[in-house]
Amino acid sequence: MTWSEMQPLLSQASWDTLYMVGWSTLIAVVGGLPLGILLVLTDRGGLLQNVVANKVIGQVVNIARSMPFIILMVALMGFTRSLTGTTIGREAAIVPLAIGAIPFFARLVETAVREVDGGLVEAVQSMGGNTWTVVRKVLVPESLPSLISSTTTTIVALIGYSAMAGTVGAGGLGDIAIRYGYQRFETQMMWITVAILAVVISLIQFAGDYAARALHGRGGRSGPAPRLRLLRAEPEPARADVSKAA
């Protein structure tokens, strides 16, 4: 197979892979971020301590994470068909990709949020901050560098999942590698596919690491202590006037 024949196939396959991974990552972040934070908040000593709820959510996440992706794809075929009307193609592949990535990302979020200094949480609470304020002003901002790294890890994992999805008709680079590299013994196509995946993963990892380092440098957990200007405190002069009046 000549390069002129391979180029359109590889271009379309690369776009299909990025399309699947991009949408799956977005859904995984939207679903996994609150789930991971909820695992921290409902744990023992958490702001919303509920051991039963924490155990139930944790078990669901563990079961979903322990299932091999290829089996998950087969198990979700009925659900995928009900959502997309088909079980093949890149749109259909997004469903199992996203569902498989949500618990994976949730556990990474849980680990990142647990590393936040408890003293900051106590400081916000002492200033009258509620749970939503703690999450919005402390937990998410302080864990943001780790969350960026977690997102990068999830994207890299999804690229691997998308290659497996190609074995059942999802399209993308995995499909090209199977159909041409394996079934038709086009070794050159196989190695070009591997090279493209390696380059894409390296670029994504570099971008993620750069963003995480930049956020650390601007004042993450490894940077200077954050300013806790979260709530308006009662003006000191007013308190002084009250004490004089008394």
Side-chain angles (χ1 to χ4, degrees):
M1 182 177 289
T2 64
W3 173 248
S4 61
E5 294 173 323
M6 289 188 292
Q7 186 176 8
L9 293 172
L10 291 170
S11 298
Q12 183 61 44
S14 299
W15 167 247
D16 288 344
T17 295
L18 293 176
Y19 181 87
M20 290 186 291
V21 172
W23 279 107
S24 301
T25 301
L26 178 61
I27 297 171
V29 171
V30 171
L33 181 61
L35 189 61
I37 294 174
L38 190 62
L39 283 169
V40 176
L41 295 178
T42 57
D43 201 3
R44 296 183 185 277
L47 299 178
L48 300 176
Q49 178 174 320
N50 188 323
V51 178
V52 175
N54 184 267
K55 293 296 183 183
V56 171
I57 297 172
Q59 284 302 316
V60 171
V61 169
N62 290 338
I63 292 172
R65 284 185 62 203
S66 64
M67 188 174 297
F69 178 71
I70 194 69
I71 296 177
L72 181 65
M73 286 190 66
V74 175
L76 291 174
M77 278 187 174
F79 180 66
T80 300
R81 184 181 289 108
S82 67
L83 287 181
T84 64
T86 181
T87 58
I88 60 175
R90 62 185 190 180
E91 282 76 17
I94 291 173
V95 177
L97 283 171
I99 292 177
I102 286 173
F104 179 82
F105 184 69
R107 281 300 186 190
L108 295 178
V109 170
E110 179 189 13
T111 301
V113 172
R114 286 189 188 280
E115 294 176 358
V116 175
D117 186 2
L120 296 176
V121 176
E122 295 174 0
V124 175
Q125 288 180 302
S126 67
M127 298 169 66
N130 56 21
T131 301
W132 170 242
T133 302
V134 170
V135 171
R136 186 166 56 93
K137 295 290 188 177
V138 178
L139 297 184
V140 173
E142 283 299 299
S143 61
L144 193 55
S146 294
L147 292 178
I148 295 295
S149 298
S150 299
T151 303
T152 304
T153 302
T154 302
I155 294 174
V156 172
L158 280 171
I159 292 175
Y161 290 166
S162 70
M164 284 188 280
T167 63
V168 291
L173 292 170
D175 178 55
I176 292 295
I178 292 296
R179 284 198 293 126
Y180 292 91
Y182 177 71
Q183 295 176 350
R184 302 186 186 183
F185 303 102
E186 294 282 354
T187 306
Q188 185 179 9
M189 178 71 90
M190 171 70 80
W191 285 114
I192 292 175
T193 302
V194 171
I196 292 174
L197 288 171
V199 170
V200 170
I201 289 174
S202 297
L203 290 175
I204 290 172
Q205 190 67 57
F206 174 80
D209 292 344
Y210 179 82
R213 286 195 300 268
L215 288 172
H216 270 298
R218 290 175 59 184
R221 282 191 298 272
S222 62
R227 298 178 180 179
L228 295 177
R229 294 178 180 176
L230 306 175
L231 302 172
R232 291 185 178 180
E234 185 179 356
E236 288 297 329
R239 278 190 254 174
D241 293 341
V242 171
S243 60
K244 289 179 181 180

